[in-house]
Amino acid sequence: MIKTNDSFNIAKNLELVFSGEDYFARLETIIREAQSQIQLQMYLFENDATGKRIVNALKEAALRKVEIYVLLDGLGSLTFPAELIKELKYSGVNIRFFAPLFSTYTFYLGRRLHRKVVVADAKVALVGGINIADKYRGSVTEKPWLDYAVQINGEIAKPLQQLCHDIYFKKRHLRNKKIKSAFHIQEDTSVRILQNDWLKGKNEICDGYIKSIRHAKKEIIIVGSYFLPGIRIIRALKKASKNKVVIKLILSGKSDLPLTRRATCFLYGKLLHYNIELYEWNESILHGKVAVVDGNWSTIGSFNLNNLSSYGSLEMNVEILSESFSARFQEHLNEIIAQCQSITPESLKTKTTVMTKFINLVSYAITRIVELVVTYTPYKRFYN
């Protein structure tokens, strides 16, 4: 299904990482080889076989006197057992929850820690969209959810570790905490860490998407797991299409959120009208959030093209400017497309009935209302 060879290795400092054993073997190795400090920030951390594997690695690292700081989202990791938290703390692991769903002073809803990042010793980092759970690793009978991350080695990990440290300890003035510099991996490859945290004035990922789409000349490939873009993204895609740019969207054929998938289906007619190519991935659940533009610009991370990521959650992506990396990533995504079901105006008309149109419309309306509520709530809380 997915090739996980070393063709995405750029001077051993930048590697595309696939969901499945590829990601979790790397994560476990990073934890076991850490010598001084580990920062792990995750939306979902489940207490299943995969979660227990990572917990054991963290405990062993703590026994080596490695400083460990684990920050989990209060909603995504709501079921993380209290007894396991006690065990980790007893082992020396520092762990807390970001925006607990219920607290003494407020009811948190839309402002979530959605980023998935691990940094060790200010030398190596994993950034992407992959959570810690069996479904992302897969099994003999179940394919892993389709998703990606990036492993970065080198100086870029130092400011990233400091950023994670400041978020864990709730440092003030995080509005200005941006990793502004682009780090050069080699002559034709530079990497930037981008964040989205609208309440703190960070719109770097969303702006990066829009800028790259607007400046596209040849081809755009986007993998969108929960694809419900705002008007700015839609307008940028429409303009790119008018400029004869080939646009390919890889979307969910199977989804863990059926309502959201139905809402995305509501947009199919409009997207096809703009001459955008649509492809549905049916081999497993699609959870990836990546894009490649013109075989030169790539972005990989936790940011979904919807209002929840744009205005509610804390997100992190890696932006890569590299012909060598992006061209190979583009080739990989075209291999994924070859395994997808193509959605054309003809096939859409054949499988769409009056009832499915109505269901899609209602799903779209409900999803937009939910997005409005959960993104408006943290805004009011923040300013009150």
Side-chain angles (χ1 to χ4, degrees):
M1 179 181 69
I2 302 172
K3 297 179 180 179
T4 57
N5 54 45
D6 62 357
S7 63
F8 291 94
N9 188 321
I10 305 296
K12 296 188 181 298
N13 288 325
L14 175 67
E15 298 177 74
L16 178 68
V17 181
F18 300 84
S19 53
E21 185 59 23
D22 183 35
Y23 177 84
F24 291 100
R26 290 171 185 267
L27 175 57
E28 192 171 26
T29 297
I30 288 171
I31 294 171
R32 295 194 185 283
E33 293 182 354
Q35 298 298 315
S36 58
Q37 186 178 120
I38 297 170
Q39 292 281 348
L40 188 153
Q41 299 188 353
M42 198 68 51
Y43 177 74
L44 173 67
F45 195 138
E46 292 194 349
N47 187 35
D48 51 20
T50 300
K52 288 181 172 68
R53 172 179 168 183
I54 302 306
V55 163
N56 289 335
L58 290 171
K59 287 180 179 178
E60 291 173 9
L63 289 175
R64 301 194 309 271
K65 305 303 180 183
V66 177
E67 291 182 31
I68 303 174
Y69 301 95
V70 176
L71 182 61
L72 305 180
D73 183 72
L75 177 62
S77 297
L78 183 64
T79 60
F80 198 79
E83 286 300 317
L84 186 53
I85 295 171
K86 290 180 182 178
E87 288 180 25
L88 286 167
K89 288 183 176 180
Y90 182 78
S91 299
V93 176
N94 300 285
I95 180 170
R96 76 171 184 87
F97 288 90
F98 177 90
L101 193 59
F102 298 98
S103 73
T104 304
Y105 301 105
T106 189
F107 174 71
Y108 294 85
L109 193 57
R111 185 167 166 75
R112 311 298 349 146
L113 179 81
H114 194 243
R115 59 182 55 171
K116 294 89 177 174
V117 54
V118 181
V119 193
D121 297 340
K123 293 180 180 179
V124 57
L126 272 176
V127 181
I130 303 170
N131 290 292
I132 297 175
D134 283 345
K135 51 198 174 190
Y136 296 91
R137 185 162 65 96
S139 66
V140 176
T141 57
E142 293 288 333
K143 294 179 180 178
W145 288 16
L146 181 62
D147 208 340
Y148 303 91
V150 177
Q151 180 170 332
I152 312 167
N153 304 321
E155 59 180 339
I156 195 171
K158 186 174 182 179
L160 181 54
Q161 181 166 299
Q162 184 62 49
L163 175 66
C164 291
H165 180 275
D166 291 346
I167 292 173
Y168 184 90
F169 286 100
K170 303 181 182 180
K171 297 290 185 180
R172 295 186 178 183
H173 309 301
L174 284 174
R175 179 180 295 273
N176 298 321
K177 287 289 183 179
K178 300 180 181 181
I179 302 176
K180 298 180 180 179
S181 301
F183 291 80
H184 292 277
I185 302 298
Q186 62 182 35
E187 186 175 347
D188 74 331
T189 302
S190 65
V191 174
R192 290 180 63 211
I193 299 296
L194 300 183
Q195 301 175 74
N196 241 76
D197 184 0
W198 186 70
L199 293 182
K200 297 297 178 69
K202 300 184 183 77
N203 302 299
E204 299 162 11
I205 306 174
C206 186
D207 290 346
Y209 263 103
I210 292 171
K211 180 180 178 181
S212 297
I213 292 170
R214 285 176 176 171
H215 289 86
K217 302 297 182 184
K218 298 178 181 177
E219 184 176 65
I220 299 168
I221 303 179
I222 296 173
V223 178
S225 51
Y226 310 111
F227 187 80
L228 282 173
I231 190 64
R232 294 173 66 205
I233 296 287
I234 289 291
R235 285 175 177 170
L237 289 170
K238 182 179 179 180
K239 182 178 179 181
S241 177
K242 287 184 177 180
N243 292 334
K244 307 302 181 183
V245 176
V246 175
I247 304 173
K248 302 176 182 179
L249 301 182
I250 303 174
L251 305 172
S252 300
K254 297 179 180 179
S255 177
D256 59 318
L257 297 176
L259 186 71
T260 302
R261 182 184 177 276
R262 284 284 193 176
T264 300
C265 290
F266 175 75
L267 298 176
Y268 279 8
K270 177 187 289 187
L271 295 170
L272 290 170
H273 180 70
Y274 295 155
N275 295 316
I276 295 174
E277 299 178 22
L278 305 182
Y279 301 93
E280 287 187 345
W281 173 259
N282 292 290
E283 297 295 315
S284 61
I285 300 293
L286 176 65
H287 194 256
K289 313 99 167 40
V290 305
V292 180
V293 177
D294 288 343
N296 178 59
W297 178 90
S298 301
T299 186
I300 300 166
S302 66
F303 183 86
N304 288 300
L305 288 172
N306 60 36
N307 286 342
L308 290 178
S309 283
S310 295
Y311 302 111
S313 303
L314 278 71
E315 308 283 2
M316 182 175 290
N317 274 40
V318 178
E319 179 186 77
I320 303 162
L321 288 175
S322 170
E323 290 186 5
S324 54
F325 181 92
S326 297
R328 279 174 269 180
F329 192 23
Q330 181 174 304
E331 181 181 354
H332 164 76
L333 292 180
N334 278 317
E335 292 175 359
I336 292 295
I337 286 173
Q339 302 174 60
C340 289
Q341 178 184 359
S342 175
I343 305 298
T344 64
E346 293 74 23
S347 66
L348 183 64
K349 185 177 180 180
T350 299
K351 71 176 187 177
T352 303
T353 65
V354 173
M355 180 56 69
T356 56
K357 285 183 179 180
F358 177 73
I359 293 173
N360 293 345
L361 172 61
V362 172
S363 300
Y364 180 82
I366 293 173
T367 304
R368 285 301 195 196
I369 290 170
V370 170
E371 285 184 340
L372 179 63
V373 171
V374 300
T375 55
Y376 179 73
T377 300
Y379 177 86
K380 293 297 290 181
R381 177 195 162 272
F382 184 79
Y383 284 102
N384 289 334

